[in-house]
Amino acid sequence: MELNANAFGRNARKALLDKTLQEALGRTTGRFQAHRDAAVAALPEFEATRERASRIKGDVLDHLDTYLARFIEEAEKRGTIVHVARDAAQAREIAARIAWEEGITLAVKSKSMASEEVSFNEALQGAGVTVVESDLGEFIIQLAGEAPSHIIAPAVHKTREEISLLFERHLGEPRTDSIPELVGMARKHLRAKFLSAGMGVSGGNFLVADTGSVVLVTNEGNGRMGTVLPRVHLAVVGIEKVIPRMADLPTFLRLLPRSASGQVISSYVSIVTGTRRAGDPEGPERMHLLLLDCGRSAILEGKYREILKCIRCAACLNSCPVYQSVGGHAYGWVYSGPIGAVLTPLLVGLPEAAALPDASTLCGACADVCPVKIPLPDFLLELRSDAREQGLKTPGEIAAMKGYAGVMKRAGLLEAIERIAGVLGQFFTKGKGISGLPYPFSGWTERRDFPAPAAEPFRKQWKIKRGVTR
Amino acid sequence: MPYTTGMDPKGPIPVSLFFTCLADAFSPGVCTATVEVLERFGATVRVPLSQTCCGQPAFNSGNRKEARAMARKFLLSFPDDGFIVTPSGSCAAMVKHGYPVLFRDEPRMLARARAIGERIFELSQFLVDVLGVTDPKSDFSGKVTYHDSCHLRRGLGVIEAPRKLLRAVPGIEFVEMEESDRCCGFGGVFSLKYPQISCKMTERKVERILATGASYVTSGDLGCLLNIGGLISRIGYPVKTIHLAEILAGKTAGKEDAG
Ligand code: SF4
């Protein structure tokens, strides 16, 4: 997917003016959040489960190579052909080669955020393969030629009117505003694709090391169909998705749907363990697994390793007032919201995405809901500090901070400035807030007043009143 | 949960006031009110005048070198014993949680930061959890709603203390607003870097405040109040911002300088 993260400010302003987007955002994030809160409240052991999940993931990260080796061994035993891609270019190359060797011309794909990281669809299309997104949301945005704007609800920014228009234009369907009818149209169109596709492509929510299984958590039947109907199944999954044992899966299944949409369990949980065996009624003849490193090993080595605990539930997006205000596209890459603000700079390099860690008030709502307890605000702060150290801050900001620190290091100097400001403040505002300030405060005063400084700062009042000097 | 200090509960309660640079410059009334309330409950208040700013704006924007310089000054401005009380959840959280990050590679400063962090309290937290105050003895009257500052609520975990105090004031009709724990959009430098998003969040906060029909919105952080108040004063909405300390001190009129 094309990277445009540093345009966050501009994209956000555009999003704020987009009425339909604003309505859609308000509706969806609010609903997800309310359902999540209710589901969590109804599970007394939520906190303990969260604790356990975070611990399991921590253990995985401490021994990722061991667990991955075990997973690959078990998966290969069951007929899965495992590939590992170091970076996006290699991932594209491997995907194209698999398609070519398997003689694929049509592939149906269920939702995979990781595949977006490497521009997977473009790679297959370059190899002459038609890729059809089969998740309803992904299907819609594929027709629109857009990118997902939410991890679990990729088309949240689209209204039903817009969707009907797309279906009319691309599928020749009549206009309707009935959601069941729209779903029916997509289903009819996709059913034909499922039956003729040579390959099903999926993501993967978990890789189970002791059984070599790929676990898919979905709400639509497309994931199930895409992994059993076509002759070949290709799963594209990040290396950090491994969990040690099948016995650990329930812990995560308890957290993921609840945190994502407030469901106790998703409509489908598919555990795909290798190819079809003798006597199996269904399943692919060939199974490929494309494991993506794509920057993950490097993250593992550094101070942000815990970000690899993420199970992509999107709870942090739904809880984030900044995400709620601007939606996912403003973040300019695959991942949005707090997880995107941290993960994008780590995966693509901070210089390419330095605008994102600033896109937060550090309110902490994300850390409150994260089911694997990732300290997202701490990471945002750390990234901002990295930006300074890597020379990514504007000279203006640095000069302002140096000036500020210079004043604050000397109480006497501060007092002198306060005295002047007090006089000026009173003079200009006649006891009211200030309504027009120059840059960088101009943004503030566009729609809000700035407080006028007090004529007599507290420090001075105290000295006079109590006659003390220290 | 009461805080155990090992100090004689009937003896003097030594408190150093951390007045915050923001209140010092923009709302000195908040500092005065804090002193009044503390003294009302028996504290001996001292104001170290060499204090300036805890360094939060620099720390939050990633400028740690400057933040460290300010933090160093802060740590040296306060005495080695007694409580440190501040009318700001955000500034207390900075000292408690930010300083250990700033000094993670300096063991001596880290130890000092931790020790000071142990003794620092936000005003309502100090009154309720340390002094066990149940009746703030305030003559404030009016319909009041409360905004949870992010750093007081999620940073320090202080949720009930301010509510308990507000509810205990006989003249106050306390109303909860919807989404009281949702960020008001201030976020320090965030409000300068992304003012439009910030404003959008503030507008939603003000809508919720207005929906309560309260005459006052209060909070434990002046930053939030200046932000919210800035929008209220621009539009001219019929509600006033007032700091929790001023309510507890009992200034019904609502001070000019509270925004
Ligand atoms: S960071 Fe946490 S809350 Fe956000 S998507 Fe990942 S697991 Fe979910």
Side-chain angles (χ1 to χ4, degrees), chain A residues 159-373:
Chain A
T159 60
R160 68 179 89 168
E161 295 76 30
E162 289 174 309
I163 295 167
S164 178
L165 210 62
L166 281 170
F167 284 9
E168 180 187 40
R169 192 174 324 137
H170 295 273
L171 311 178
E173 296 287 354
R175 294 289 297 277
T176 175
D177 61 0
S178 140
I179 292 175
E181 276 180 35
L182 287 169
V183 174
M185 291 169 188
R187 180 174 289 141
K188 188 178 74 188
H189 181 79
L190 286 169
R191 184 77 29 134
K193 303 286 180 195
F194 274 116
L195 292 171
S196 50
M199 182 162 81
V201 179
S202 76
N205 295 89
F206 304 99
L207 303 171
V208 184
D210 68 347
T211 62
S213 312
V214 178
V215 182
L216 298 174
V217 179
T218 66
N219 271 329
E220 298 170 22
N222 68 319
R224 180 74 50 89
M225 271 221 253
T227 53
V228 297
L229 276 180
R231 186 175 57 82
V232 182
H233 172 204
L234 165 60
V236 185
V237 190
I239 53 170
E240 82 283 15
K241 291 292 175 84
V242 67
I243 57 172
R245 292 158 294 269
M246 190 56 85
D248 298 320
L249 186 59
T251 299
F252 292 97
L253 289 184
R254 221 163 271 150
L255 293 172
L256 179 53
R258 283 184 169 87
S259 303
S261 55
Q263 288 166 286
V264 170
I265 187 77
S266 53
S267 311
Y268 294 84
V269 175
S270 304
I271 302 179
V272 186
T273 312
T275 49
R276 180 200 300 215
R277 279 154 296 205
D280 281 356
E282 55 188 15
E285 286 165 32
R286 309 260 294 161
M287 171 151 185
H288 293 270
L289 174 63
L290 174 52
L291 289 174
L292 302 182
D293 184 319
C294 300
R296 288 161 170 79
S297 301
I299 296 176
L300 190 66
E301 297 306 310
K303 55 187 175 180
Y304 301 101
R305 63 154 34 188
E306 273 186 274
I307 200 72
L308 297 175
K309 289 181 174 179
C310 175
I311 57 172
R312 306 284 191 271
C313 70
C316 59
L317 277 63
N318 299 327
S319 74
C320 175
V322 174
Y323 177 90
Q324 289 168 11
S325 303
V326 301
H329 286 160
Y331 293 78
W333 205 51
V334 182
Y335 304 106
S336 52
I339 178 64
V342 175
L343 191 56
T344 302
L346 295 175
L347 289 177
V348 305
L350 188 52
E352 302 297 325
L356 295 187
D358 285 339
S360 160
T361 62
L362 303 170
C363 79
C366 51
D368 256 18
V369 296
C370 177
V372 284
K373 304 186 84 167

Side-chain angles (χ1 to χ4, degrees), chain B residues 48-118:
Chain B
L49 288 172
S50 60
Q51 65 178 300
T52 56
C53 166
C54 65
Q56 184 172 193
F59 179 69
N60 281 1
S61 57
N63 296 291
R64 292 195 177 170
K65 200 168 147 244
E66 289 73 26
R68 215 169 281 127
M70 287 183 250
R72 223 180 280 283
K73 168 154 185 63
F74 180 94
L75 290 174
L76 297 174
S77 296
F78 284 85
D80 286 330
D81 48 18
F83 299 101
I84 300 168
V85 176
T86 179
S88 164
S90 192
C91 301
M94 171 66 196
V95 175
K96 246 179 149 59
H97 306 313
Y99 282 15
V101 176
L102 278 178
F103 295 113
R104 63 188 169 199
D105 299 323
E106 287 180 56
R108 278 195 41 219
M109 287 308 280
L110 181 63
R112 178 152 185 95
R114 289 233 164 93
I116 291 233
E118 287 284 296

Side-chain angles (χ1 to χ4, degrees), chain A residues 8-9 12-13 16 22 26 29 33 303 320-322 324-326 354-356 358-365 368 378 381-386 388-389 393 397-398 401-402 404-405 407-411 414-415 418 431-436 439-463 465-466 468-470, chain B residues 17 19 21 23-29 31-32 35-36 39 45-53 55 57-70 73 77-79 101 104 150-151 153-154 179 181-204 223 226-235 256-257 259:
Chain A
F8 177 83
R13 282 197 296 279
L16 286 167
Q22 289 299 324
T29 55
Q33 224 188 340
K303 55 187 175 180
C320 175
V322 174
Q324 289 168 11
S325 303
V326 301
L356 295 187
D358 285 339
S360 160
T361 62
L362 303 170
C363 79
D368 256 18
D378 294 353
L381 278 169
E382 204 65 36
L383 282 164
R384 292 178 185 185
S385 166
D386 289 358
R388 169 72 186 268
E389 271 160 36
K393 290 204 175 281
E397 179 180 334
I398 296 176
M401 276 305 158
K402 283 195 169 145
Y404 181 65
V407 172
M408 291 302 170
K409 271 190 292 189
R410 292 172 53 199
L414 172 62
E415 266 174 58
E418 279 179 336
K432 269 211 75 184
I434 301 168
S435 55
Y439 185 82
F441 300 96
S442 47
W444 175 296
T445 52
E446 221 169 82
R447 276 145 79 197
R448 279 170 296 201
D449 289 340
F450 198 81
E456 233 176 36
F458 172 72
R459 188 193 301 281
K460 191 174 165 208
Q461 294 182 9
W462 182 261
K463 274 191 201 170
K465 208 160 113 202
R466 309 266 171 141
V468 280
T469 50
R470 82 141 276 185
Chain B
L17 178 71
F19 50 68
C21 61
D24 177 37
F26 292 106
S27 291
C31 313
T32 316
V35 174
E36 258 181 69
E39 287 180 341
V45 181
R46 180 146 74 126
V47 181
L49 288 172
S50 60
Q51 65 178 300
T52 56
C53 166
F59 179 69
N60 281 1
S61 57
N63 296 291
R64 292 195 177 170
K65 200 168 147 244
E66 289 73 26
R68 215 169 281 127
M70 287 183 250
K73 168 154 185 63
S77 296
F78 284 85
V101 176
R104 63 188 169 199
C150 297
H151 293 160
R153 185 182 177 106
R154 283 179 285 268
E179 300 181 339
D181 62 345
R182 192 178 196 274
C183 179
C184 71
F186 176 49
V189 279
F190 173 83
S191 59
L192 302 181
K193 283 197 174 164
Y194 299 119
Q196 289 86 358
I197 308 175
S198 166
C199 234
K200 167 104 185 162
M201 292 163 63
T202 315
E203 281 165 359
R204 179 151 157 183
L226 293 179
N227 175 47
I228 295 169
L231 184 70
I232 288 175
S233 102
R234 175 63 60 90
I235 311 275
E256 276 292 317
D257 64 29

